[in-house]
Amino acid sequence: MFWRVLCRVVVLASVLASPAVRAQSPAAAGGEADLAGEIEITLERFGAGRVVRPGDWAGIRVALLDRGAEVRPVIVQASLVDADGDAALWQRAVTLNPGSPQGVWLYARLPFDLLPASPVRISVHEPAEGGEGEVGAGRLPGRELGAAVLSPQVVVEPASPLIGVIGRSTAGLERYQVAAPGGSTEAPATGHEWIELATLDPDQLGAELPDAWMGLSAMKTIVWTEGDPARVRGAAAEALEAWVRRGGHLAIVIPEAAFGWADAREGALAELMPAARLVRREGVDLESVRPLLRGAGGPRLPSGRIVHVLEPLEDAREQEAMAILSSPAGEALVTRRLVGAGAVTVIGVDVSERETASRLDPQRFWHRVLGERFDVLSQAEMTALQQRTPPANFRSRTQVWVDDAVGTFINKTGRAGAGGLLGGRARAGIRRLWSPAGIGLAVAVSLLWPAIVAVQGHGGTLVDEWWMHTVTRGAGDFGDPEPPWYYPVAMLWQMLPWTPLLLAGAGPSLARAWRNRDAPDRFVWCWGVLPVALLSVPAVKHHQYILHALPAFAPVMALGLVRIGGWYAGLPDRWRARSAGAALAAAGALLAGSAVGGAVWWDYRAEAWLVGGALALGIAAMGLALRRRRIAGMGVALMVMLLLIGVILRSDLIPRRDPSGPDRNFLLRVAEQVPDDAPLVATGGTAIARHVFYVDRPVTGVWSPAAVPAPADGPVFVIAQARDAATLAALGPLAPLDQSARARFERSPEDRYTLYRIDPPPAAAAAAE
């Protein structure tokens, strides 16, 4: 922090120490001080809408007036201290006409501790002499022709979301800026960060809109409430399009008198607009769409309004005309188009009109349009909440800035040390780990737990278990071996019903992973394929071993869904009608089959009727969605159908027909029949874990019945299958005490688990006496 402050002081002192500065008066009102020179510099806008946010990019528009006599090229530079405390320069080459003011945009990344009085020096230079090409003449600054020290006009909090509004009406968005009674921006009604609005003049779009996307990057949303976006041309249109494609959200309100909007799809922003035509509706009573604008209660909404319905074009794809809000008649009043990582939304109701805007509930309307989630309260509602017991506290959470907190508490945590070692690639730390002392420490920590087990007398058991689960399992001598292709085939059926989506998206994803070394597809395929390949080496395989690798293919399935949707959207209407008809026919046949099946197999009527009905309804819904080219709707119908079937099976059918119920009841009775001081042994392979879980007393697990210890001083109680009776009888007199009514995977009564009592043989009993 000390060096950052010192650097800023040095930069500011170098600026103010120049002869031009010493000859000038202090900065004039408005945040600028023009330094004498051949070119006059005037600040027009410091940030889009004259608002900047520390830590973000900002556009600085200055007007340059050349007092010279000739047209000449110049270099314009902006100098300020960046987030790292260094003196940063941003420059731009322009050509000036004498006596004619010319606006120029400069772009800079502002530091996080920017203040309204923070100086930014703007200077104009003539190109340096000599050199050719882009880096030579015309790019390197030479003699200074003029300079000015500027400061920001409005600086908002770094954590405050910024919404730009193009128009004089904020269309009800000002309700987002209600503060608690007696509070400030630190206690907003939203209960979240204070939302800032930056207003842009629609009559001066040429000067208001930056000519590069960086000038708009601080805004997450721009709401256009006045004027026609088709008027945006040239670099400003390209900047707005780039901002949208990088994640910005442009929301456009269509005015009632939208006569020029018929040609909106022909302007520079035509590719961003939703693929929909405007259908004019006159004399509309907004009470008919009250649930979209306000909800129950409050003043009556205006009537006799003009509303524009947005009808998708015949060749529009789903992502090009998505209905966000529709009237009760099903007409889309708000439509969105996805553009890159951002979106453009067109609103057919003129919510910028004064009477409509004053009665609009932003939580009801703007939340759904902008994707917000917080409470919008009035001053009266906040006062009532503050007067209750306990009183509500609307103050925002304390902000902690990572760059300022590194020197205090962040560097005192172990996680920060690990991040600095691994993420920061601290070679000295790695060298210390890869040394005799580091290796010895790692070995000591690894052997600590096995050493404790060995000291307690269980070292032999630990070695046997380790050998069995590594060497024996890997060699295929433990369990049932499977072929090498077992896991690839198991993946296909384990991911049903989404396997077709994986197959559809695998080709493009693999091609992108092969071509682009930085593609995220490489990570996805490494995550999904490498564990499966490694687990395929041992001969013994179980399908559940690869469950952790299957979620990796979710992005590939999403790509497959988009591809299938695009393919289906391009089919002729007759094919869509046939597919929908086939789905409805299949649903009807399935419904009839489930009814007949339930009547024939009466014991399984619930399964047939409930599951069959859910399948039929789901397939019918998917058919209707396909008929309307709603691929997302088909996916939703499939998800709901699977969820409904899962609820039916797990809440009713599976509990009633649970095959493990008799085994569980049997194991719960075992503890009552075995004396507390008598040994209890459980055998039967992997079923031992279930025995140990349900029996409420200590149990000794033995893998094979042949390894059950023979009784010596008293009886031994054993849980084993009925087929093991002959093996256990060789240990001594055998008596069955209890038995499960039915085994979970029973093929014959010999599979049922039984509680046996084995007494010592007569000779052993006599020797004991």
Side-chain angles (χ1 to χ4, degrees), residues 65-361:
L65 177 60
D66 191 353
R67 299 190 182 98
E70 299 179 345
V71 176
R72 56 177 168 180
V74 297
I75 295 176
V76 187
Q77 286 187 340
S79 173
L80 74 161
V81 179
D82 64 8
D84 297 325
D86 300 323
L89 290 175
W90 285 269
Q91 72 178 29
R92 188 168 189 173
V94 297
T95 300
L96 299 181
N97 293 312
S100 176
Q102 181 172 335
V104 178
W105 281 100
L106 296 171
Y107 301 96
R109 189 68 181 261
L110 304 177
F112 280 97
D113 54 356
L114 181 78
L115 299 174
S118 297
V120 177
R121 188 176 193 271
I122 306 295
S123 58
V124 182
H125 304 258
E126 65 180 9
E129 297 293 337
E132 297 294 337
E134 184 177 351
V135 185
R139 301 296 295 179
L140 296 178
R143 183 173 65 91
E144 185 175 289
L145 303 176
V149 178
L150 313 177
S151 57
Q153 294 161 309
V154 178
V155 180
V156 302
E157 289 293 326
S160 295
L162 191 58
I163 298 178
V165 179
I166 301 178
R168 298 171 181 84
S169 171
T170 56
L173 290 170
E174 71 279 358
R175 290 281 305 279
Y176 282 168
Q177 294 186 305
V178 177
S184 62
T185 59
E186 297 182 357
T190 62
H192 293 257
E193 294 80 10
W194 180 267
I195 296 178
E196 296 284 353
L197 301 181
T199 304
L200 286 74
D201 188 350
D203 297 331
Q204 301 182 22
L205 290 181
E208 288 280 9
L209 288 177
D211 57 3
W213 65 267
M214 294 89 74
L216 300 172
S217 63
M219 300 180 182
K220 69 171 186 176
T221 303
I222 295 179
V223 180
W224 204 305
T225 64
E226 183 180 350
D228 190 350
R231 294 167 45 204
V232 182
R233 295 285 192 271
E238 296 176 1
L240 189 60
E241 179 179 355
W243 172 77
V244 171
R245 294 189 182 277
R246 288 173 172 268
H249 183 191
L250 176 61
I252 303 172
V253 178
I254 302 179
E256 291 191 351
F259 299 109
W261 277 78
D263 300 328
R265 291 180 52 82
E266 311 231 342
L269 302 178
E271 295 184 359
L272 304 183
M273 296 297 175
R277 67 174 62 90
L278 298 183
V279 179
R280 185 181 177 93
R281 298 278 191 267
E282 297 183 0
V284 177
D285 187 355
L286 295 186
E287 281 293 324
S288 62
V289 291
R290 187 182 185 90
L292 306 182
L293 303 178
R294 184 173 181 87
R300 193 183 191 282
L301 296 177
S303 60
R305 298 300 182 186
I306 298 176
V307 172
H308 293 86
V309 176
L310 297 109
E311 291 185 352
L313 301 179
E314 289 73 11
D315 58 346
R317 308 171 82 179
E318 183 178 5
Q319 62 269 27
E320 295 176 344
M322 304 170 57
I324 304 302
L325 296 178
S326 300
S327 67
E331 295 179 328
L333 300 180
V334 179
T335 298
R336 176 172 299 158
R337 177 173 186 155
L338 302 182
V339 183
V344 175
T345 302
V346 174
I347 302 168
V349 181
D350 188 3
V351 294
S352 64
E353 189 273 328
R354 182 179 58 83
E355 189 176 1
T356 304
S358 63
R359 304 178 185 183
L360 188 71
D361 182 0

Side-chain angles (χ1 to χ4, degrees), residues 445-540:
V445 172
S446 302
L447 296 180
L448 180 61
W449 180 75
I452 295 175
V453 174
V455 169
Q456 293 179 348
H458 304 291
T461 303
L462 179 63
V463 172
D464 292 341
E465 291 291 326
W466 175 83
W467 185 270
M468 178 180 65
H469 288 286
T470 54
V471 180
T472 306
R473 186 185 293 270
D477 299 331
F478 179 77
D480 299 326
E482 299 290 350
W485 57 84
Y486 174 78
Y487 281 139
V489 175
M491 291 172 60
L492 297 179
W493 64 259
Q494 286 190 94
M495 288 189 287
L496 286 174
W498 318 113
T499 306
L501 303 182
L502 174 64
L503 299 178
S509 179
L510 284 172
R512 186 163 53 240
W514 181 263
R515 293 192 307 266
N516 185 3
R517 58 180 294 181
D518 297 325
D521 302 74
R522 289 196 175 188
F523 170 76
V524 168
W525 286 100
C526 288
W527 174 12
V529 172
L530 289 181
V532 176
L534 293 175
L535 291 172
S536 298
V537 175
V540 178

